[in-house]
Amino acid sequence: MAKMEDVAKVAGVSKSTVSNVFSEKRPISKEVKERVLRIANELNYKPNYWARSLAVKETRIIGLNMQAEKVKFSQFHLSLLNGVLNECYKQGYRLLVNTLSDNYKNKVEFQTSDPVDGEILLDPEIEDPRIVGRMKQNIPLVVIGKPPQTYEDKLSYVDNNNVSAAEGIGKHLISLGHKDILFLNAPSFRTVSMDRELGFKISLKEAGIELDSDQVVYKDKKSSSVEFGYEKAKEILIQNNKITAIITDNDKMALGVYRAAEEEGYSIPNDLAVISFSDDSVYATEFSPPLSCVHLNGEQLGSESAKLLIDQLHTNKPLVKRIIVPTHFEKRGSCSNS
Amino acid sequence: MAKMEDVAKVAGVSKSTVSNVFSEKRPISKEVKERVLRIANELNYKPNYWARSLAVKETRIIGLNMQAEKVKFSQFHLSLLNGVLNECYKQGYRLLVNTLSDNYKNKVEFQTSDPVDGEILLDPEIEDPRIVGRMKQNIPLVVIGKPPQTYEDKLSYVDNNNVSAAEGIGKHLISLGHKDILFLNAPSFRTVSMDRELGFKISLKEAGIELDSDQVVYKDKKSSSVEFGYEKAKEILIQNNKITAIITDNDKMALGVYRAAEEEGYSIPNDLAVISFSDDSVYATEFSPPLSCVHLNGEQLGSESAKLLIDQLHTNKPLVKRIIVPTHFEKRGSCSNS
DNA sequence: CTGTTAGCGCCTTCAT
DNA sequence: ATGAAGGCGCTAACAG
C-alpha cells in the first residue's frame, strides 16, 4: 500500500502538500492538486485512517454499546440502530458496534481503550458497570433510556416518557372497567422497568385499586419474550385467575399471551385485554385482533441520541442534556371492541 | 489521558516493559507486572487503540457495508447482523457499520481508506462499484449473496441456494395445480433477483408452462415492500387476472398482498396462494392464514461470512471460498388448506 | 502557495 | 528479564 511519501516523491512535492490536497485545509494550486490526485490514483493511494486519527486525535467513529451477554439485537434495537445510523450517515460518522464477550472483553477492554470519539449506551441497568467505567474514563457518553439514579444528572440521555406512558395505559384499562391487571414487565435489573412500574402503580392508586404483589412480573433472562408471555399467561388463565387484562413489555411477549389465550379458549379482547409496549414491528396490526400498543418511536430515540452525542463531541463541553421522546398510544382491537 | 510513557516513568521502568505488560508478548517478572498494572490503574491508563493499530497494522475491526442510499436495516439484515456480531464477539473482533451518504461518502472515502481489516458486503448488485473498489484496493472481502458474474470466482461469498429454492416453491405451487403465478421479485439490479427468477422459470419450464413477461415484477426503489406488495396485488386482483398464486420477495410484501386480497374479497389460500422468501421475522406464523415461507437462515449467513472473513485475515492468503447456506421451505396455511 | 521539522502513542528490533 | 532507539503514516507549526 502506497503511502503519502511515495505520492509526494513521484509528484515532486512535499508530504504536506499531498496531505493538504486530501484534507483541503489549505489552498493548493490547481495544477499541483491535479497532478497529486492523478498520481495518488495511479498508485492506488489513500490516506491511512489510523495514522490520521493518531495525529488529529479524533476518529469520527461513535460506538454503540450493548450488554455483552445479550448480543442479540431485537426489533426495537433495530429501530434504534436505524435512527443512529441515519444520523451518523448525515454527519459523516461511522458506527462501531461493540459486543465483546465477557471472557474476551475483559482481555480486550483491558488491553486498549475503545477506538471511538464517544459512545451511545443501550439498555442501561440499575447497577451498570459500563456507565461507571465510561464516566471514569471521561468518554463522551449518551445513554438511551434512563440512567441509574446516581448518574441521572451527570450525563446526557434520551428516553421515552415511560412513567406517564404506563400511567396512561393503566388509566385506559381502568376506564374500560378493568381492575385486575397483570403487568409483564421488563427484567427487574433494567432501569426502564422501574419507571413503567411506577406509572402503572400511579394509575391504580388514583383509581383506588389495590395491587397484589404478583401482578407485576419481571421477565427473566432464561426464556425468550414469546415464551415468557406464553408461560405467564398460561399460568394465570389455567388458575382461572381474576386477571382481565395484561400489559406486556413488547410485542413478542404479547404474541405469547395470544397463544396462551387461544389455547385456553379465552377470547381477546372480550375475556382478556392486551396492551403492549411496542417494539416497532409493522406486524402489530396483523395480530388477530390487532394489538394495541404504546409506540416508542425507537428510530427517533436513536437519531436524537446520535445527534446529541455528536453535538457534544463538537462543542467539547461536557454538557448534560436530557431529551424525552414522546410515546403515543395506538388503540386497536386487543383492548376493546368499540 | 495518560500514556505509556507516564506509566513507565512513575513505575520506574521503560516504555517497552509497560508495553509488554499489556501485550503479554514477553515474560515480565511478577513484581514489575503488578506494580505497572497498579500504577496504570491509578493513572487511569489504557493503551491507545489507534496508536497500536498504526504500529501493528491491524485493527481487529471488520466492516459491514450496506448500500448507502438504503441506510435502513430490514428484518433480514437484522438476522445477518446478529450472526455477524455473534461471530465477531466470539473472536474478539469489533464491527464497523459503514453507511456514509453519497455526498459525504465521496468526500470521506476519498479522504481515507476504511479503518478495517476486511469487509463484509451486503446486497450485492449486478453492477457494484463497491466490489470493484475493494478488489482494486485489495481489501479482504466476503460478500453475502451472489457477487456479480465477473467476480464470482475471484472472491469469497456466502449465499443461499436461491435457484433451487425458487425452483422448489415453483414446483410446489405447480403441484397444487397453479399455472398462473405472479413473482414479486427483488429489485432488478440485485443479483439475488436473477437467481430466484432463474429457479422460478426452471420450475415452469419443466412443467411446460408458458410465462407472460409481466408475471415477474421487480420491486422498485420508490415504494416500501408493504406498499409494493399491496399495489401489485391490488392491480391484478382488480383486473380479475388469471393469477392464482403470488410469490413475494419478503414477508412485508406478503403482508401487502394479504391486505389487497382482503380488500378485494379474495380468500387465501382458496382464491389466492401466497409464498414468501422469509425475512426471518417470528410473525409469519401470525398471519391469517399463517404464511408459507422459504426460510433463509439469515443468522447463519451472517456468522458464516464473519467466520470466513476472519479466517481469511488470519491465514493471510487470498483464498476464494464459497459457502452455500441451505434454505428450507416452511409450508403453512397460505398456499394450501391441506 | 509550498517545504521542513517535530511529534501523535504505540510496537519492534537489537542490545544488555 | 529489561532498556534504548527507531519507525508505523499522518498532521501541525513554523518557515519562507
Side-chain angles (χ1 to χ4, degrees), chain A residues 174-229:
Chain A
I174 292 166
S175 78
L176 292 172
H178 296 281
K179 286 192 174 61
D180 299 293
I181 305 170
L182 174 68
F183 185 12
L184 299 181
N185 204 348
S188 59
F189 52 86
R190 298 266 318 274
T191 58
V192 66
S193 65
M194 302 191 62
D195 278 1
R196 290 186 182 163
E197 179 167 349
L198 178 61
F200 175 56
K201 285 183 172 165
I202 289 174
S203 69
L204 295 177
K205 191 159 192 182
E206 283 197 5
I209 298 174
E210 294 284 327
L211 183 74
D212 286 355
S213 65
D214 60 356
Q215 280 178 247
V216 176
V217 187
Y218 305 100
K219 180 177 179 306
D220 48 54
K221 282 188 177 182
K222 284 165 294 181
S223 46
S224 73
S225 287
V226 177
E227 288 163 9
F228 178 76

Side-chain angles (χ1 to χ4, degrees), chain A residues 110, chain B residues 7 11 13 17-18 20-22 28-42:
Chain A
F110 163 78
Chain B
V7 178
V13 296
T17 300
V18 178
N20 284 290
V21 167
F22 281 89
I28 302 284
S29 69
K30 203 182 169 200
E31 46 179 359
V32 172
K33 182 171 183 173
E34 277 170 1
R35 181 153 37 99
V36 168
L37 284 179
R38 185 171 44 75
I39 288 168
N41 194 39
E42 280 168 13

